[in-house]
Amino acid sequence: MASNSKNLSQGANFSQGTIAVRGGLNTDDQFGSVVPVITPSTCYRYEEFATPRKFDYGRKSNPSRRLVEETVAKLEGGVDAILTNCGMSAIHLVSVALLGPNDVVVAPHDCYGGSYRLFNSLSQKGYFKTKFVDQSDPAALKEALSLKPKLVLVESPSNPLLRVVDIAEIARQAHAVGALVLVDNTFMTPILQKPLELGADIVSHSGTKFLNGHSDLLAGILVFKDQQLATDVLWWANNIGTSTSSFDSYLLLRGLRTLAARVRLQQENAQKVVEYLTNHPKIAKVFHPSIPTNLGHDIAKKQQKGFGSLLSFELVGDADVMPKFLQALNIFTLAQSLGGVESLICHPATMTHSGISAEARKTAGISDQLLRISIGLEDINDLLGDLEQALAQI
Ligand code: PLP
């Protein structure tokens, strides 16, 4: 008798919450296990001479990785995806696959510090050329696009100032000069933003963050709008070896099951923290896309399905207050990641963005008084109470 339970590829067009929960379920034909098995094997027996099966060697692909790729491709509305061993390797893979010594990449001047360092250092070695630009400045963007870039990286909202740029408009202008558009969607996840629908060609994620959500693995993922582009980049993934382990792939798929629920509740908590900090006399400024004065607030309302759970703020006072405040916190852990179920706090100037020169940080608006928070799933009253008691100590 046929089984009553189908897997996602056999089902109808489900909504994102359902796709996230059910990714890879019921794909085991041997035992009918509901949760997919982990396949650690690095190699796969040939059917016969010169006849490989679907998988042949684990560096290129394997069943555990493939289930994550299929699930995230569906969530982002792409045709295919490539899972890599961290977010940086995903971005590196795109640059290796697409760019040569005479090519230009246009990147945001306030992008994630690791992406800034990667593009900057590879440009210094002559692999390609990078033009960092404030993408919210139409004249600066126009000038950068006149260099006829091959790739435009967009990060919206940006890290750590949560500035929002118009993805559809940048994609339109980039395509007009023949560039491909890569959007780093780590902060929003496909639950809150769908860059491929806005015109992007590739979406990247640090899967280390919200997609997994439990701060216990490193992963990156690229999702493609076009199959040929995905196939070309996969050739490079196999060529340089960007593979994720089967066990990490399994954990990531498990983390994805709660993605929609986590994102919603973390965002709800974040909104209350934003309201609390906005009215506090010891806070000079709060950055969050929900705030009407935040750069790109109106665009955020239009291109995002929510404002997200990352925010940053500047403390009133001099350099002395920073260590005092951080030391006084009991729940917010001083650590440089985001998107997990636990709330983290980070000082960008000495942590995530320390690889950028002080001058470049200043240009991007990242001051030494700035802190970034990733709001988790703890009880909101405990989170607000922790901030309150720590602010009372400075
Ligand atoms: N993109 C963004 C927006 C990030 O915040 C990060 C890491 O913090 C990365 C990419 C890099 O990801 P990973 O640390 O998994 O290499």
Side-chain angles (χ1 to χ4, degrees):
M1 199 167 65
S3 164
N4 73 330
S5 230
K6 295 176 178 146
N7 63 49
L8 272 184
S9 50
Q10 299 163 302
N13 272 340
F14 293 115
S15 64
Q16 282 184 306
T18 309
I19 295 168
V21 169
R22 299 199 63 96
L25 296 187
N26 301 320
T27 48
D28 169 39
D29 291 333
Q30 192 177 8
F31 299 113
S33 57
V34 173
V35 173
V37 294
I38 306 173
T39 44
S41 186
T42 52
C43 47
Y44 297 84
R45 193 175 68 243
Y46 273 48
E47 295 276 10
E48 55 185 85
F49 174 68
T51 314
R53 295 168 194 261
K54 180 173 176 188
F55 300 100
D56 55 9
Y57 187 56
R59 187 177 61 238
K60 186 164 113 195
S61 191
N62 85 13
S64 298
R65 221 180 297 150
R66 202 62 200 134
L67 293 179
V68 180
E69 290 167 345
E70 286 167 2
T71 305
V72 179
K74 275 204 171 75
L75 285 171
E76 286 286 6
V79 296
D80 206 349
I82 301 171
L83 187 61
T84 68
N85 53 33
C86 69
M88 285 322 302
S89 66
I91 295 172
H92 185 208
L93 174 59
V94 173
S95 65
V96 170
L98 299 185
L99 304 170
N102 295 319
D103 295 324
V104 174
V105 54
V106 168
H109 72 142
D110 56 352
C111 61
Y112 166 60
S115 304
Y116 191 101
R117 183 180 53 201
L118 179 82
F119 285 118
N120 203 27
S121 56
L122 291 180
S123 297
Q124 279 167 6
K125 285 195 124 196
Y127 286 100
F128 49 78
K129 301 179 182 84
T130 306
K131 175 76 182 162
F132 292 104
V133 67
D134 178 354
Q135 295 179 345
S136 67
D137 176 346
L141 180 65
K142 195 171 168 206
E143 194 190 323
L145 293 179
S146 73
L147 299 171
K148 300 257 180 295
K150 200 151 186 203
L151 181 69
V152 175
L153 170 72
V154 180
E155 215 185 282
S156 182
S158 69
N159 184 5
L161 291 169
L162 291 313
R163 292 168 172 155
V164 174
V165 291
D166 191 332
I167 296 174
E169 179 54 22
I170 295 172
R172 191 188 63 75
Q173 292 185 32
H175 288 155
V177 297
L180 287 170
V181 176
L182 165 67
V183 175
D184 185 330
N185 204 24
T186 300
F187 276 27
M188 285 281 97
T189 83
I191 304 301
L192 299 180
Q193 179 167 274
K194 303 274 289 284
L196 297 180
E197 285 177 4
L198 296 167
D201 302 286
I202 311 172
V203 169
S204 71
H205 281 275
S206 167
T208 315
K209 309 296 185 319
F210 288 98
L211 296 188
N212 178 50
H214 294 77
S215 305
D216 54 5
L217 64 84
L218 288 160
I221 194 154
L222 298 170
V223 184
F224 300 86
K225 195 183 228 166
D226 174 72
Q227 187 58 60
Q228 188 55 51
L229 185 58
T231 305
D232 293 349
V233 178
L234 181 62
W235 186 89
W236 277 99
N238 182 47
N239 191 26
I240 57 181
T242 56
S243 339
T244 322
S245 79
S246 296
F247 189 64
D248 282 352
S249 304
Y250 166 79
L251 280 181
L252 179 51
L253 193 63
R254 187 165 78 155
L256 277 170
R257 305 204 187 288
T258 53
L259 177 69
R262 282 187 281 108
V263 164
R264 272 198 295 271
L265 187 51
Q266 284 175 248
Q267 176 172 259
E268 215 176 285
N269 277 353
Q271 201 57 51
K272 290 180 183 143
V273 173
V274 167
E275 281 156 26
Y276 170 76
L277 292 175
T278 305
N279 298 313
H280 201 288
K282 290 184 182 167
I283 303 296
K285 206 161 181 205
V286 184
F287 302 89
H288 187 246
S290 68
I291 300 171
T293 51
N294 205 82
L295 201 136
H297 166 75
D298 288 335
I299 303 165
K301 282 202 292 193
K302 167 177 88 168
Q303 84 183 0
Q304 300 172 194
K305 286 196 209 114
F307 296 120
S309 54
L310 280 146
L311 59 111
S312 51
F313 58 95
E314 282 173 358
L315 286 177
V316 170
D318 51 27
D320 293 354
V321 299
M322 188 57 72
K324 245 196 217 163
F325 174 70
L326 292 170
Q327 196 59 38
L329 288 166
N330 294 318
I331 296 180
F332 291 89
T333 306
L334 182 64
Q336 59 181 14
S337 195
L338 58 101
V341 294
E342 73 291 343
S343 294
L344 300 179
I345 191 159
C346 147
H347 182 238
T350 55
M351 296 167 76
T352 49
H353 289 66
S354 61
I356 299 179
S357 71
E359 201 190 329
R361 278 201 303 273
K362 199 169 163 210
T363 311
I366 302 166
S367 79
D368 289 351
Q369 290 300 95
L370 186 78
L371 287 165
R372 186 193 73 193
I373 282 185
S374 172
I375 299 290
L377 289 180
E378 299 90 343
D379 188 285
I380 184 60
N381 293 321
D382 290 334
L383 293 178
L384 294 176
D386 195 28
L387 290 169
E388 175 124 325
Q389 64 81 25
L391 285 167
Q393 293 185 50
I394 59 170

